[in-house]
Amino acid sequence: CTCGDISSPDVMGKAQSKAPRIVISTIPDALLQGTTNKKIIDVVHKVWPSAHVIVTTDNPQTAQELYDDGADYVLRMCKLSAERLEDLLNEHCSDSAHSSLSDLFATYKERDNNIKGDWVTKAQKY
């Protein structure tokens, strides 16, 4: 196990015994502390030049900047959520599918409530 600043080339180089094919940063810059996704792209390209880099951002302008900086793919949660919601609605929205959609929403809501309940239970342990 290697602990340290993931934006450091030394730490990143020691974190893997061999070069990874893909490095993924799932945290947008607004939540990162002490680094940015651009710095992560730069370090990955320095340490593992052949690795693909996937990073995350909150807006389209930053996404383009990250592509310009060498990201192979930029994940935008808002866009991903909108695409998933569009797929869900297209798949289930018709007059005959109304009850099916209601059932699906009930299932998702129950799953989300169970997850929230798990977090509360785990938090109470600490």
Side-chain angles (χ1 to χ4, degrees):
C1 177
T2 303
C3 297
D5 179 3
I6 196 64
S7 65
S8 163
D10 291 335
V11 171
M12 198 176 282
K14 293 175 185 173
Q16 244 349 75
S17 60
K18 63 179 185 173
R21 290 180 43 216
I22 302 172
V23 175
I24 303 170
S25 170
T26 60
I27 304 171
D29 287 348
L31 300 176
L32 286 171
Q33 295 182 354
T35 192
T36 63
N37 278 292
K38 180 191 179 333
K39 289 180 187 175
I40 291 171
I41 293 167
D42 293 343
V43 171
V44 169
H45 285 161
K46 180 178 180 180
V47 176
W48 302 302
S50 62
H52 295 282
V53 185
I54 299 172
V55 293
T56 304
T57 189
D58 295 324
N59 68 66
Q61 180 180 357
T62 305
Q64 186 57 54
E65 291 168 6
L66 291 169
Y67 279 123
D68 293 344
D69 292 332
D72 291 289
Y73 185 75
V74 179
L75 178 65
R76 288 191 309 131
M77 296 305 223
C78 250
K79 183 176 183 284
L80 188 63
S81 296
E83 289 170 351
R84 175 65 183 119
L85 185 57
E86 178 185 32
D87 290 345
L88 177 91
L89 294 174
N90 285 335
E91 183 180 332
H92 295 282
C93 277
S94 69
D95 291 337
S96 63
H98 179 71
S99 64
S100 167
L101 189 59
S102 296
D103 292 342
L104 183 65
F105 288 155
T107 301
Y108 286 161
K109 186 175 180 179
E110 182 178 334
R111 185 181 64 196
D112 290 346
N113 287 336
N114 288 338
I115 290 170
K116 184 172 62 172
D118 289 345
W119 288 347
V120 171
T121 303
K122 289 176 185 174
Q124 289 172 346
K125 289 181 183 179
Y126 300 101

